[in-house]
Amino acid sequence: MRIAADLDRCEGHGLCVDQAPEVFDLDDEGDLVLLVEGEVPAAQEAAAGRAVDACPVAALRRA
Ligand code: SF4
């Protein structure tokens, strides 16, 4: 699984970071940072999927 993030849509709520802190982070400005490039490691897939589902503005999707 890969993650596609719509940075224009992201409002920096951080719910994705709560769900999958090894996949998502927020920088000092509150902008989303993807910590994983390309395929999400198998060990992080479940958490990454929960993060996609948790985003309140649908800025994340499985790709
Ligand atoms: S949960 Fe959605 S809006 Fe919040 S930081 Fe993550 S991608 Fe952005």
Side-chain angles (χ1 to χ4, degrees), residues 6-63:
D6 183 341
L7 299 181
D8 290 333
R9 196 179 262 268
C10 172
E11 296 179 354
H13 297 293
L15 298 183
C16 55
V17 181
D18 292 342
Q19 293 295 329
E22 296 184 37
V23 180
F24 303 97
D25 198 6
L26 294 175
D27 67 15
D28 291 342
E29 263 102 57
D31 292 329
L32 180 67
V33 178
L34 282 177
L35 301 177
V36 172
E37 282 187 32
E39 286 290 323
V40 175
Q44 299 300 325
E45 273 199 12
R50 288 195 295 273
V52 170
D53 295 338
C55 179
V57 295
L60 303 174
R61 63 180 173 82
R62 296 164 179 82

